[in-house]
Structures are given as structure tokens and as C-alpha cells.
Amino acid sequence: MIFMLAGTSDARNLALELQSAGHQVTATVVTDSAATSLTEVGLSHLVGRLTADEMATILTQQGYQLVVDASHPFAEEASKNAMAAAEQAGVPYIRYERAHEHYAHPLITVVKDYEEAAYLAAEKRGVIMLTTGSKTLATFTKVLQGLENTRVIARMLPRLDNMEKCEALGVAQRDIVAIQGPFSKELNEALFRQYDVTLMITKESGKVGSVDEKLEAALACGIETILIARPNIQYGQQYSTFEGVLQAVHNTL
């Protein structure tokens, strides 16, 4: 039995591959929309955030033999909880991590975290489009709101809790782009031009995370980009291909 941290499209596809290979998989996701996508393809799942202790209890009580962490590259807390839970429960841990992409261009500046991105954006100012999601919105509004010659456009999923967060943080309705991807290069370009964006902030989420389409669109428009590097986590047994994970699972179980 495999306990799998999922929630992304590639994680869902990996879970299906593992299931097709004869493994019993339970995927855990955070949102109802992610759960719906798993239901549609017939994958067993749990919904909700789990602490390390809660996860360890599930692993132990239900007899899971392996943890496969295919969470988002920026889901740092989830991965740390999964590693701690696996150690606590005495089961192996395998990490599937999307392949890293390397970008070098005069208009792209790579920074180590959200805080560095916010302060660099404060130096540049202009019309700033955030494509980093709602979770760290407060990090940017704290630094950028109220700055002269600065407008922050927040692009995020069209969820009620996201809109409530924007209201609580003082983000005006006219500065919210509530939309769900995936986004083509052309749609990104259209949004950048519609809002006269001069600076885009995004994360190095990999090709599956559609970062290429954002960067290509920004470069086509001559827009500067701040690219947030992935968290530096030592996962141990880590693979960037489905084949690598499947072989590791085969060798473990």
C-alpha cells in the first residue's frame, strides 16, 4: 500500500501509473477541486492538510508500506511533514520532483525566496503581476502596497477564500485576476498587455507548472521577471521521472 502526496496533474498521472503497475494507492490532496480530479479517474484519496503526527498515525494504523511525495515543488511544509511522518512510522520515503529548469536572460532575475522577490520588486516598482498564488500574497502586499508608482495585480485561482484574503489584505477588485490555468503563451501575453505589466513575479515550478509559457510571454512583451527558486530541501531518495519512481517502488515493495 502506497500513501501518496498529490494535488497536481503530474502527481495524479503518476498515481495512475503506480495503480496500473498493480500497487494500491491512496492520494492525499488539499482542495476539493483536486479531489474531484482524482475521483474522475478512479483514484482513492483523502482531502485536507495533515500534520506530520496525523500522517504518521494514518501510515501506522492503516498499514501503509511506502510514502511517495509528489507534492508541488513549493509545497515545502507538506514535504517536510511527509518525511517526518515516514520516519516516525518507519516506512520508506520516495520523492518525485519535477525536473529543474535553468533560465538565463537579462530580463530574468532569480531570487531565493518570496521575501527577496518582494523587496526586489519594491526597488523596481511599476505594474507588478504576481503569479505566485494566494498563499504568500501577504508577503508581497506588506512590502508593496502604498508604494509610489506601484500597482500590484494578483493572479490566482477563483476561490472564495482567495477573494476573502484579497479583501482582508486590501487588494482592490480591479487588481485581481481570478482565473484557473493552464495558460498558453498567448493568454499570458494578452493579460500582460491588458494590464500594462512592467514586472512579473513567478516561481520555478517546472514545465508542468507552465512557467515556460509565462516566461516566454513576458520576454515577448519585454517585461522583467523575478523568478523564485525552489526551496532547498534534501529529500534523500529523489527522482524526476515516472520511470525512476516506478523502479524505486518496485525495488522497495
Side-chain angles (χ1 to χ4, degrees):
M1 291 175 63
I2 298 173
F3 186 87
M4 183 171 178
L5 277 70
T8 62
S9 59
D10 48 339
R12 180 191 61 201
N13 293 336
L14 176 56
L16 288 171
E17 292 263 359
L18 289 167
Q19 188 169 266
S20 296
H23 300 287
Q24 186 177 340
V25 180
T26 299
T28 176
V29 295
V30 175
T31 65
D32 290 332
S33 61
T36 298
S37 72
L38 296 182
T39 300
E40 290 171 349
V41 295
L43 283 168
S44 175
H45 58 272
L46 302 173
V47 185
R49 297 186 189 277
L50 296 170
T51 65
D53 288 342
E54 289 169 341
M55 204 179 301
T57 299
I58 292 172
L59 295 175
T60 302
Q61 291 183 349
Q62 300 187 24
Y64 286 98
Q65 302 162 286
L66 175 67
V67 173
V68 174
D69 177 9
S71 60
H72 192 278
F74 282 81
E76 184 174 2
E77 182 179 356
S79 289
K80 288 180 176 178
N81 284 343
M83 285 187 281
E87 183 177 1
Q88 187 176 329
V91 300
Y93 168 95
I94 293 173
R95 169 65 173 168
Y96 166 72
E97 174 91 346
R98 296 171 182 171
H100 281 267
E101 301 294 329
H102 300 283
Y103 303 95
H105 191 282
L107 289 176
I108 300 174
T109 302
V110 180
V111 297
K112 70 179 184 299
D113 55 30
Y114 297 99
E115 288 76 14
E116 186 178 354
Y119 284 106
L120 179 57
E123 294 176 13
K124 295 180 178 295
R125 307 199 181 192
V127 180
I128 303 164
M129 180 167 283
L130 298 176
T131 66
T132 52
S134 64
K135 190 174 180 181
T136 57
L137 180 60
T139 300
F140 292 99
T141 56
K142 179 177 66 176
V143 175
L144 298 173
Q145 270 188 338
L147 285 182
E148 189 177 0
N149 301 320
T150 303
R151 180 186 181 190
V152 177
I153 309 296
R155 191 173 97 179
M156 60 186 61
L157 291 171
R159 292 171 38 150
L160 177 60
D161 57 338
N162 287 347
M163 300 306 101
E164 290 173 341
K165 181 176 285 189
C166 285
E167 183 176 10
L169 293 172
V171 179
Q173 290 184 20
R174 66 186 182 89
D175 294 332
I176 302 170
V177 179
I179 189 170
Q180 182 168 356
F183 303 93
S184 65
K185 173 178 176 286
E186 291 74 20
L187 179 53
N188 280 309
E189 279 193 49
L191 287 171
F192 294 154
R193 296 187 192 281
Q194 174 68 29
Y195 288 91
D196 294 321
V197 173
T198 60
L199 178 67
M200 191 261 290
I201 303 177
T202 191
K203 302 179 289 190
E204 200 279 278
S205 300
K207 285 183 178 292
V208 179
S210 300
V211 69
D212 285 10
E213 289 81 357
K214 290 187 218 175
L215 292 173
E216 289 169 6
L219 294 178
C221 296
I223 295 170
E224 282 192 80
T225 295
I226 297 174
L227 181 65
I228 302 168
R230 297 184 189 183
N232 184 20
I233 301 175
Q234 300 302 314
Y235 294 106
Q237 194 173 184
Q238 177 179 336
Y239 304 90
S240 60
T241 65
F242 287 5
E243 293 78 13
V245 173
L246 287 164
Q247 186 60 53
V249 170
H250 176 75
N251 293 341
T252 302
L253 298 180

